Amino acid sequence: MTATVDSSVTQFQTCIDACNRCMQACEECLISCLKEPDVQARIHCINMLRDCANICASASQWMSRGSMYAKQICQLCATICEACATECAKFQDAHCKACADECRKCSDECRRMAG
């Protein structure tokens, strides 16, 4: 996808897209985890998913508006995405594995953008 209005944020587009995919994966995984029979064992994971979805949405917004703090937000996003990937990887469900993959991809993109 390309920037829809302002071409000055084109440099961030790959990272924006990764953040949006990760946010969606985390939201979907969170809902799926809530339906699992071992939901109590997933409380930490569910909380991580919420944090990750929120920081990804924020990072996407900050980059989209070309904020001078976008790199700092993306650095934090990378850290949270990596932690979320580690937590999701503890569970063997397809939704957790897919989410962990998206989190790792987003973490990599955010680190690249912040660097």
Side-chain angles (χ1 to χ4, degrees), residues 12-27 49-64 70-81 99 101-114:
F12 305 133
Q13 196 60 53
T14 302
C15 193
I16 289 169
D17 292 343
C19 286
N20 288 337
R21 280 191 312 274
C22 188
M23 181 271 303
Q24 182 177 354
C26 287
E27 291 286 356
L49 288 162
R50 188 172 290 131
D51 287 349
C52 194
N54 287 347
I55 194 65
C56 286
S58 291
S60 176
Q61 291 169 326
W62 289 50
M63 285 183 284
S64 293
K71 288 186 179 196
Q72 290 91 330
I73 292 293
C74 286
Q75 188 61 50
L76 178 59
C77 188
T79 300
I80 293 172
C81 285
C99 186
D101 287 345
E102 287 300 328
C103 287
R104 283 187 203 96
K105 290 175 190 171
C106 187
S107 179
D108 290 346
E109 282 302 324
C110 281
R111 282 190 207 294
R112 217 177 334 276
M113 204 294 277

Side-chain angles (χ1 to χ4, degrees), residues 29-104:
C29 189
L30 189 153
I31 294 303
S32 295
C33 281
L34 288 172
K35 296 175 185 173
E36 294 292 343
D38 62 342
V39 70
Q40 279 306 119
R42 296 170 185 258
I43 296 299
H44 183 66
C45 187
I46 290 167
N47 287 329
M48 284 298 310
L49 288 162
R50 188 172 290 131
D51 287 349
C52 194
N54 287 347
I55 194 65
C56 286
S58 291
S60 176
Q61 291 169 326
W62 289 50
M63 285 183 284
S64 293
R65 66 178 168 253
S67 171
M68 60 193 250
Y69 299 105
K71 288 186 179 196
Q72 290 91 330
I73 292 293
C74 286
Q75 188 61 50
L76 178 59
C77 188
T79 300
I80 293 172
C81 285
E82 192 58 43
C84 191
T86 299
E87 190 61 30
C88 279
K90 294 178 182 177
F91 298 95
Q92 298 306 309
D93 311 290
H95 60 87
C96 286
K97 288 181 179 185
C99 186
D101 287 345
E102 287 300 328
C103 287
R104 283 187 203 96

